[in-house]
Amino acid sequence: MLACDFGNLKSEIDMVNNSKADWFHIDVMDGVFVPNISFGTPIMNVFKENAKKTLDVHLMISSPDDYLEKFSQLGADILTVHFEACPHLHRTVQKIKDLNLKAGVAINPHTPVSFLKSIIGDLDLVCIMSVNPGFGGQSFIKNTFNKVRELRNLINDHNSSAIIEVDGGVNSNNAKKLIECGANALVAGSFVFKSKNPSNTISELSSIIN
Ligand code: ZN
């Protein structure tokens, strides 16, 4: 939703409600962990009140532990924290689960998939960043395909049920290959919201991957 028109947030949310999208992916940025600020709790409230699908909240913030309960109250169904922002990742993941939410971990482009080996069995979702987080509209990093394959193997080897989500620069050119490499969830922002007919674009992406 980072790429949507915030001046018309309710109608953008309605468009997604009525589209073939499965989830709302909400990027929260603090200007510290990433070089940009997106929005805070008042906007989250608008999603809570209007969105009729799963709220997948991606916390691109330092010290996410301080905000887990707040985002739970704000209607998050999935809370994803960054590997690079959590010195006590296992504890953070347990806190998310104690809130009865799905727990996700995101890894930046420079972070190896193998760093998740000891935690993969505890995760509901892994988000592979296919751009450097902080801004919408960036181009897709091709090494992501290898990381998705590697993560699929890691998940299978550990009998984990974690979903593989790819976030950044997803479009109709890379979507099919990402699914073939083992991804389950694709986050599309600018490709959808900057297109002429976002709802049709979502349908097109959906038909490519299903
Ligand atoms: Zn995201």
Side-chain angles (χ1 to χ4, degrees), residues 50-179:
N50 296 278
K52 297 184 178 125
K53 296 178 177 177
T54 295
L55 291 185
D56 173 29
V57 179
H58 180 184
L59 296 177
M60 300 183 188
I61 63 176
S62 57
S63 309
D65 291 35
D66 300 342
Y67 297 93
L68 301 177
E69 209 169 333
K70 184 75 189 166
F71 279 96
S72 170
Q73 290 160 1
L74 287 165
D77 298 293
I78 305 167
L79 268 185
T80 296
V81 295
H82 263 267
F83 177 88
E84 302 83 5
C86 297
H88 304 288
L89 185 60
H90 184 265
R91 187 197 292 157
T92 305
V93 165
Q94 296 312 316
K95 270 192 194 170
I96 296 172
K97 294 191 154 191
D98 288 346
L99 293 165
N100 285 321
L101 304 179
K102 302 252 190 232
V105 169
I107 55 172
N108 279 339
H110 73 277
T111 302
V113 165
S114 59
F115 281 13
L116 297 173
K117 200 171 166 184
S118 300
I119 192 92
I120 194 70
D122 296 297
L123 301 182
D124 299 302
L125 180 146
V126 175
C127 174
I128 295 185
M129 289 304 303
S130 39
V131 299
N132 285 297
F135 300 92
Q138 299 184 72
S139 50
F140 182 84
I141 297 171
K142 288 212 171 79
N143 186 42
T144 305
F145 295 120
N146 295 328
K147 290 182 84 171
V148 173
R149 281 191 207 100
E150 204 183 327
L151 179 57
R152 174 49 60 204
N153 290 335
L154 185 76
I155 286 171
N156 292 348
D157 289 349
H158 289 78
N159 289 321
S160 162
S161 53
I163 285 171
I164 301 179
E165 176 178 76
V166 178
D167 187 6
V170 170
N171 58 40
S172 54
N173 295 324
N174 52 32
K176 193 171 170 59
K177 189 170 173 188
L178 285 168
I179 297 295

